[in-house]
């Protein structure tokens, strides 16, 4: 079974002082935990990555980013390359988040290229997939997720170089979550589809994301094939994020 991963996606939140305080608090708590049984990851916005790296140094908390460009370097104003993130100490990069797919019209092929760039730079991509409310209502959840796995998961990855996050778009920031039976069904489908792509699909961590809170984390984190969480809003408060992490035990 994959080791549990609790990841905080801070999205476009936190000024420097807030980010440092949050990261420090998590670092202190995680460092004091003698047997955490799970990995803890924070993904601040780009301008805070370096400061957060210093705030969590030596604590065991891992550092990630929220996106990257598929290229190594070059004339791409405003973009950030994967090697720059590795250079700052990042171990993970979220790619294909639904907010990027919506706001920046990212398609599966580009997501797969970004994932490859992340792996080339020595880090692990967290590839996000998930259906919209319209697709769910039309009964297309499983076909949409299978199609996104086929298109967004680059070939040649293994459990060492791949994390999947299932985030139903309609559950993000809404306080609504699928039933545990629905989560179990989709995660089982994801694992089956991954077996077409990677040789050790059983070891790939598959995170659930979308309105994970202290009150529902325990239930969600113990659904079969759920190997952790990708947390948005609740990752911005140390107590809430910590409580979610404890629920994963
Ligand atoms: P919320 O936890 O705020 O619903 O966000 C989930 C998410 O998009 C994490 O990537």
């Amino acid at each position: 079974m994959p080791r549990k991963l609790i990841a905080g996606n801070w999205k476009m939140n936190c000024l420097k002082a807030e980010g440092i305080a949050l990261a420090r608090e998590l670092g202190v708590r995680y460092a004091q935990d003698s047997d955490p049984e799970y990995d803890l990851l924070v993904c601040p916005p780009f301008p805070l990555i370096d400061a957060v790296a210093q705030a969590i140094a030596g604590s065991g908390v891992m550092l990630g980013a929220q996106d990257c460009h598929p290229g190594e370097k070059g004339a791409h104003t405003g973009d950030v390359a994967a090697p720059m993130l590795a250079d700052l100490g990042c171990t993970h990069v979220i790619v294909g988040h639904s907010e990027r797919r919506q706001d920046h019209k990212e398609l599966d092929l580009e997501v797969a290229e970004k994932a490859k760039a992340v792996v080339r730079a020595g880090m692990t991509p967290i590839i996000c997939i998930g259906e919209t409310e319209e697709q769910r209502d039309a009964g297309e959840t499983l076909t949409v997720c299978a199609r996104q796995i086929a298109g967004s998961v680059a070939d040649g990855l293994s459990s060492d170089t791949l994390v999947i996050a299932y985030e139903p778009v309609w559950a993000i920031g809404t306080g609504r979550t699928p039933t545990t039976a629905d989560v179990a069904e989709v995660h089982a489908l994801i694992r089956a589809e991954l077996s077409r792509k990677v040789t050790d699909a059983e070891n790939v961590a598959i995170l659930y994301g979308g309105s994970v809170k202290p009150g529902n984390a325990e239930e969600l984190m113990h659904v079969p094939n759920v190997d952790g969480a990708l947390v948005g809003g609740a990752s911005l408060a140390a107590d809430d994020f910590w409580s979610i992490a404890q629920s994963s035990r």
Side-chain angles (χ1 to χ4, degrees):
M1 275 229 310
R3 185 173 161 88
K4 286 242 162 48
L5 172 64
I6 307 299
N9 175 7
W10 294 5
K11 306 193 180 183
M12 198 172 72
N13 293 294
C14 288
L15 296 180
K16 193 166 155 188
E18 293 168 289
I20 290 172
L22 174 56
R24 262 203 202 124
E25 180 63 33
L26 294 169
V28 167
R29 294 189 194 194
Y30 192 74
Q32 281 170 354
D33 197 334
S34 56
D35 184 16
E37 298 173 41
Y38 59 87
D39 291 326
L40 200 65
L41 172 72
V42 290
C43 302
F46 291 133
L48 300 195
I49 288 178
D50 200 23
V52 167
Q54 292 170 41
I56 58 174
S59 70
V61 176
M62 297 188 297
L63 183 64
Q66 301 172 17
D67 180 47
C68 69
H69 189 276
E72 301 270 308
K73 59 180 178 177
H76 301 286
T77 303
D79 278 314
V80 173
M84 298 170 179
L85 299 169
D87 190 38
L88 292 178
C90 288
T91 54
H92 292 73
V93 182
I94 298 168
V95 294
H97 191 282
S98 63
E99 287 152 12
R100 304 252 359 139
R101 292 178 188 259
Q102 275 172 357
D103 297 353
H104 299 271
K105 310 281 176 284
E106 284 187 14
L107 300 174
D108 284 335
L109 185 62
E110 188 179 0
V111 175
E113 290 302 314
K114 289 183 176 197
K116 279 197 246 174
V118 171
V119 174
R120 271 198 307 272
M123 302 177 290
T124 300
I126 300 176
I127 302 177
C128 301
I129 63 161
E131 82 286 0
T132 63
E133 183 152 37
E134 202 178 19
Q135 289 165 334
R136 171 157 290 251
D137 289 346
E140 294 169 2
T141 299
L142 297 182
T143 41
V144 166
C145 290
R147 193 171 64 224
Q148 288 180 331
I149 291 283
S152 301
V153 178
D155 291 327
L157 303 183
S158 70
S159 64
D160 294 338
T161 53
L162 175 63
V163 172
I164 300 290
Y166 168 56
E167 300 203 311
V169 177
W170 53 271
I172 295 175
T174 59
R176 295 162 57 206
T177 53
T179 64
T180 50
D182 286 343
V183 173
E185 184 182 33
V186 177
H187 278 235
L189 174 278
I190 291 170
R191 190 143 339 259
E193 292 299 317
L194 281 175
S195 64
R196 302 168 190 264
K197 288 273 183 179
V198 301
T199 48
D200 63 341
E202 69 280 8
N203 295 324
V204 175
I206 306 175
L207 313 183
Y208 168 79
S211 294
V212 178
K213 308 281 178 212
N216 61 20
E218 172 116 37
E219 195 178 29
L220 287 165
M221 291 305 101
H222 292 93
V223 172
N225 287 306
V226 172
D227 306 307
L230 183 54
V231 186
S235 72
L236 297 171
D239 284 344
D240 287 352
F241 191 51
W242 188 250
S243 160
I244 290 168
Q246 299 313 303
S247 308
S248 72
R249 286 171 186 271

